[in-house]
Amino acid sequence: AQSVTQLDSQVPVFEEAPVELRCNYSSSVSVYLFWYVQYPNQGLQLLLKYLSGSTLVKGINGFEAEFNKSQTSFHLRKPSVHISDTAEYFCAVRMDSSYKLIFGSGTRLLVRP
Amino acid sequence: EPEVTQTPSHQVTQMGQEVILRCVPISNHLYFYWYRQILGQKVEFLVSFYNNEISEKSEIFDDQFSVERPDGSNFTLKIRSTKLEDSAMYFCASIESGRDFYNEQFFGPGTRLTVL
């Protein structure tokens, strides 16, 4: 069965520091990979997605992620975070044969001044 | 900017009662979804809906659940007899076309359901 693992439930970081949020998936078929962000009292917003082609994907708000097929990972990075990046981040996969998203458990990014 | 809306934002109900969660997807979207997130757990897929019928559903979506598009704008999730374990945040989502797997799913802000 397909699954998504986000090992870090919470990542505290100081403002302007770099951050990496980890995501690993398991699937025996081709997948599409996504990162969503959820700000307090709001819905899930798409940050970026990997469909095919270049393994380095750039998204909104200065985030990027790298698809690593051999390690089945899709880690999210930002070189310098802001207070406003404090939110919950969800990694998700979508299989080629299905419309549904399979989510990880989420990582709460807490940016401190 | 168009957005998915959900009402109510918070619903409190007694165990055994029926609840209806409402969603208004983006107007030109054709595929609709419900997901839920139990506190502290993953966001889980419940059901997808297209052309007035269910296109895919999870094992969670049993006979207690139903979905409907009663008019051209609303998309509802009904839970016939709520259980304590139905307490969760319920998210509605929509996409313009399911044929293009590249399309982004747009999510609403969620309805928090509390079953007492």
Side-chain angles (χ1 to χ4, degrees), chain A residues 4 32 34 36 38 41-44 46 49 51-52 90 94-101 103-105, chain B residues 31 33 35 37 41-43 45 48 55-56 91 95 98-109:
Chain A
V4 179
Y32 305 103
F34 305 81
Y36 281 83
Q38 184 181 30
N41 300 316
Q42 295 186 28
L44 299 167
L46 183 67
K49 59 188 176 187
L51 307 173
S52 64
F90 294 94
R94 183 176 175 188
M95 294 177 288
D96 202 12
S97 58
S98 170
Y99 298 121
K100 69 183 181 187
L101 290 171
F103 284 89
S105 54
Chain B
Y31 281 77
Y33 302 80
Y35 292 83
Q37 184 182 29
Q41 298 186 25
K42 299 183 180 187
V43 176
F45 168 78
S48 61
S55 51
E56 191 174 0
F91 293 104
I95 60 174
R99 288 169 50 194
D100 185 353
F101 284 98
Y102 303 165
N103 275 332
E104 172 186 352
Q105 290 190 22
F106 288 84
F107 283 81

Side-chain angles (χ1 to χ4, degrees), chain A residues 69-105:
Chain A
K69 188 174 182 178
S70 63
Q71 296 186 3
T72 59
S73 67
F74 189 54
H75 300 332
L76 181 70
R77 302 187 185 100
K78 186 169 183 178
S80 175
V81 295
H82 302 289
I83 297 287
S84 59
D85 292 323
T86 293
E88 188 91 18
Y89 291 79
F90 294 94
C91 182
V93 302
R94 183 176 175 188
M95 294 177 288
D96 202 12
S97 58
S98 170
Y99 298 121
K100 69 183 181 187
L101 290 171
I102 300 170
F103 284 89
S105 54

Side-chain angles (χ1 to χ4, degrees), chain A residues 21-37:
Chain A
L21 306 183
R22 296 180 293 168
C23 172
N24 289 88
Y25 68 93
S26 65
S27 175
S28 58
V29 299
S30 297
V31 296
Y32 305 103
L33 297 157
F34 305 81
W35 275 98
Y36 281 83
V37 60

Side-chain angles (χ1 to χ4, degrees), chain B residues 24 35 71 94 105:
Chain B
V24 179
Y35 292 83
D71 52 41
S94 68
Q105 290 190 22

Side-chain angles (χ1 to χ4, degrees), chain B residues 73-90:
Chain B
S73 60
N74 289 284
F75 178 52
T76 62
L77 174 69
K78 182 192 291 186
I79 308 175
R80 290 191 183 81
S81 179
T82 50
K83 307 182 189 70
L84 294 176
E85 55 265 35
D86 293 326
S87 294
M89 180 73 88
Y90 288 81

